[in-house]
Amino acid sequence: NSKVIQTPRYLVKGQGQKAKMRCIPEKGHPVVFWYQQNKNNEFKFLINFQNQEVLQQIDMTEKRFSAECPSNSPCSLEIQSSEAGDSALYLCASSLSRASQNTLYFGAGTRLSVL
Amino acid sequence: AQSVTQPDARVTVSEGASLQLRCKYSYSGTPYLFWYVQYPRQGLQLLLKYYSGDPVVQGVNGFEAEFIKSNSSFHLRKASVHWSDSAVYFCAVRENSNNRIFFGDGTQLVVKP
């Protein structure tokens, strides 16, 4: 079973509010991913890190989200100004390395509802 | 471009019956393939993965999948399903270049008692 811990499980925000969620990757996993899963089960890659360094992020993440993975602290993903379209399940995953054969282990997710 | 297609949005089977969930991928390099399961209100759990060797891979809870390169397929199978297998199943491919993972749209499995 995955040991990726995500908090909170549920988050309710009004439009324009900040929404922040956290992720503790599995111990010893330096690579962390954030994905957004919408109600149609479509996954959107948001950003990934190796240790504290951003490896890749999409445009949306660069503009409206801020994310970090500080050393010795949980990783976080924050939406600066929530929009209705941001309502989704946000999944954090960690991996032993960037090598493709390594599995991504997912947390239970943070379900964000933007009213 | 890489993509994953799961042609069946929903599959209904009776408990004890055999199961096949279909997955086809499009990827130019060596594919690293995964099946995940998502139970209601939970995250994704790994069922099995393939990246080399025997094309039939065994996973948890009696699941297996077969990589058929000529068909670009990685179908998931189980000999006898249980009601607790009801969930959404996702096929995924992980690419080499930037190690992102791409998911299919999922197949909702309903196991009838």
Side-chain angles (χ1 to χ4, degrees), chain A residues 9 35 37 100 102-104, chain B residues 36 38 41 94-95 101:
Chain A
R9 287 296 302 275
Y35 279 85
Q37 183 186 16
S100 299
N102 287 125
T103 301
L104 267 64
Chain B
Y36 286 88
Q38 188 173 35
R41 294 173 297 283
R94 191 171 182 189
E95 62 178 18
I101 193 167

Side-chain angles (χ1 to χ4, degrees), chain A residues 22-92:
Chain A
R22 291 176 177 81
C23 169
I24 300 175
E26 194 154 332
K27 192 174 181 181
H29 284 192
V31 181
V32 173
F33 294 76
W34 285 98
Y35 279 85
Q36 179 197 65
Q37 183 186 16
N38 68 18
K39 61 180 181 182
N40 296 321
N41 282 336
E42 294 161 337
F43 290 82
K44 181 186 286 185
F45 165 83
L46 296 176
I47 190 168
N48 60 351
F49 291 84
Q50 179 156 337
N51 297 311
Q52 293 82 56
E53 180 191 347
V54 174
L55 296 174
Q56 192 173 21
Q57 61 183 323
I58 61 171
D59 235 25
M60 177 179 86
T61 309
E62 210 165 330
K63 289 175 182 168
R64 297 201 303 111
F65 293 55
S66 63
E68 59 176 3
C69 270
S71 93
N72 300 319
S73 289
C75 297
S76 64
L77 178 71
E78 184 172 37
I79 305 173
Q80 298 303 309
S81 177
S82 302
E83 300 173 357
D86 296 329
S87 296
L89 181 67
Y90 288 83
L91 291 165
C92 175

Side-chain angles (χ1 to χ4, degrees), chain B residues 11-16 81-86 109-113:
Chain B
V11 169
T12 302
V13 296
S14 298
E15 193 166 26
V81 295
H82 187 262
W83 64 266
S84 60
D85 292 326
S86 296
L109 174 64
V110 176
V111 180
K112 296 190 301 184

